[in-house]
Amino acid sequence: MSQTQFIGLFPIPVVRVSGLLDEDLIQSIVARTDATQQKEINAYSEGLSHSPIKGTDGDDLLARVGDLVMPSVVQFGEVLFGEALNWQIKEIWSNVLETGGRQAVHTHANSFISGVVYLTASHPSANIVFHKSLGGTDYIFSNHNKNAAVNAYNGSKWAMPEIVPGDLVLFPSYLLHEVPVNKGPRRMSVAFNAIPDRLDNLGYSVRFS
Ligand SMILES: [Fe+2]
C-alpha cells in the first residue's frame, strides 16, 4: 500500500498567545493612550497613530507588558534559534487605528522577534495580514483563479482569523505584514521589537544591545 506524504520544508513560525494581558492592565493603557499620550501620525495613513517608539525604561505600564510577553518571546526565540537566549524588548509603543485607517506592508528592521498585544477587539477587516513575498525583479508565474484552491504552499498571504483583547501575536521581524483598511471601530494595540544579547554561529558570534 503506497502512502503519500507532503513535507512542509522551512515553515515560518507565527504564534498567537490568547489572554496574556488582564483587563486592568488593558484598561490602564487604553485610558492613558486616549487621554495623555503623545501621538505620531503614520506616514501612509492619517487614521493610524502611535506613541513615541522607545524602550520600557520609565514606563511602568509598558514595562509590565514587556515582562508578560517575555516568556513567550524566549520560547519563540528557542524555535527560531534552537536555544533559550537572553532577550530584551528593544522598543515598544502603542498604536491607535481609527475607522478607515490602515498600516502599509512593512517589516521591522534591526530586530529578530516582533509582536503585537491587542488592547481592543479587531474588526475582521483589520486583522493583521502576513505576506510571503511581494516579488522582486524576476518575472512571476502563479495560478490564482476561481478554480484554484489556496493552500499553505501556493498561498501568498495569510490573515489572522480572530483577535481578542489581551491576545499576543509573535512573528519573525523579517516577515512582511500589513493591516488592511479598518472597517470597524477604533482598534488599539501595543507593538514591540525584541533582540537576543548574542548569536553564536560555530564561534562566529555577534552581540546586540
Ligand atoms: Fe509592524
Side-chain angles (χ1 to χ4, degrees), residues 78-99:
E78 197 166 359
V79 170
L80 289 177
F81 295 114
E83 184 180 1
L85 300 169
N86 295 315
W87 288 83
Q88 64 162 299
I89 304 298
K90 191 160 58 73
E91 51 258 335
I92 187 166
W93 64 96
S94 57
N95 296 299
V96 178
L97 183 70
E98 304 289 358
T99 304

Side-chain angles (χ1 to χ4, degrees), residues 12-87:
I12 298 170
V14 171
V15 164
R16 177 186 170 198
V17 181
S18 58
L20 192 70
L21 262 60
D22 62 52
E23 187 63 22
D24 282 352
L25 181 53
I26 289 173
Q27 290 312 322
S28 297
I29 301 171
V30 165
R32 184 184 67 176
T33 304
D34 268 344
T36 60
Q37 192 130 293
Q38 181 189 348
K39 291 173 183 155
E40 299 178 12
I41 304 296
N42 181 268
Y44 299 98
S45 174
E46 288 188 358
L48 175 62
S49 62
H50 62 84
S51 64
I53 294 172
K54 57 187 179 64
T56 57
D57 286 353
D59 190 321
D60 288 350
L61 291 177
L62 293 184
R64 282 169 64 190
V65 175
D67 289 343
L68 284 169
V69 303
M70 189 50 69
S72 298
V73 168
V74 172
Q75 183 186 35
F76 193 73
E78 197 166 359
V79 170
L80 289 177
F81 295 114
E83 184 180 1
L85 300 169
N86 295 315
W87 288 83

